[in-house]
Structure formats: structure tokens, C-alpha cells
């Protein structure tokens, strides 16, 4: 995207590409307009499951952008 001089873009990843897309979006959120992930396993981190209700509420209150 740098070579094409595109600053922000819609990023789509499937399966392992979804994992890569999530990592890119997490590290460079200013570059990603939207993120679509299909057929990728969710990231696993200890303690995250307990935070799901809090995260869902944050999305509901503030959106994802």
C-alpha cells in the first residue's frame, strides 16, 4: 500500500491471513479503515475471556472505529 501511495485501506484476511491482518491492524490502526476477518481463530490470551462483557459494552457504547 505504501508503494501505491494508499494511506488508509479496507483490510480483509481469511484463515491465517486473518491472523496476520489482525496483527497489522493492532500495530498500525491509523492505516486501516475497516478490518474484516473470515475463518480465523480468535486470539488466545489468558484472562481475556473474563473481560469479554466489558469489551462488548465498550463496542456497544463507543463503536469500533
Amino acid at each position: 500500500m505504501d508503494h501505491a501511495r494508499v494511506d488508509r485501506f479496507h483490510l480483509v484476511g481469511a484463515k491465517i491471513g486473518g491472523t496476520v491482518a489482525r496483527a497489522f491492524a493492532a500495530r498500525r490502526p491509523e492505516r486501516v479503515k475497516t478490518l474484516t476477518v473470515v475463518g480465523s481463530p480468535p486470539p488466545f490470551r489468558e484472562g481475556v475471556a473474563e473481560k469479554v462483557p466489558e469489551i462488548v459494552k465498550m463496542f456497544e457504547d463507543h463503536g469500533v472505529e
Side-chain angles (χ1 to χ4, degrees):
M1 300 313 283
D2 290 342
H3 183 73
R5 295 185 176 142
V6 176
D7 292 328
R8 294 186 75 217
F9 49 90
H10 302 281
L11 180 58
V12 179
K15 302 195 182 206
I16 191 66
T19 302
V20 173
R22 277 197 316 261
F24 179 87
R27 288 172 176 80
R28 300 296 305 274
E30 74 280 0
R31 299 294 304 271
V32 179
K33 285 184 182 181
T34 62
L35 172 63
T36 302
V37 177
V38 181
S40 297
F44 177 77
R45 294 185 196 118
E46 275 197 46
V48 171
E50 293 78 18
K51 294 182 180 180
V52 168
E54 175 186 337
I55 293 168
V56 169
K57 180 161 177 30
M58 180 187 68
F59 287 150
E60 290 173 347
D61 293 347
H62 304 287
V64 294
E65 190 170 336

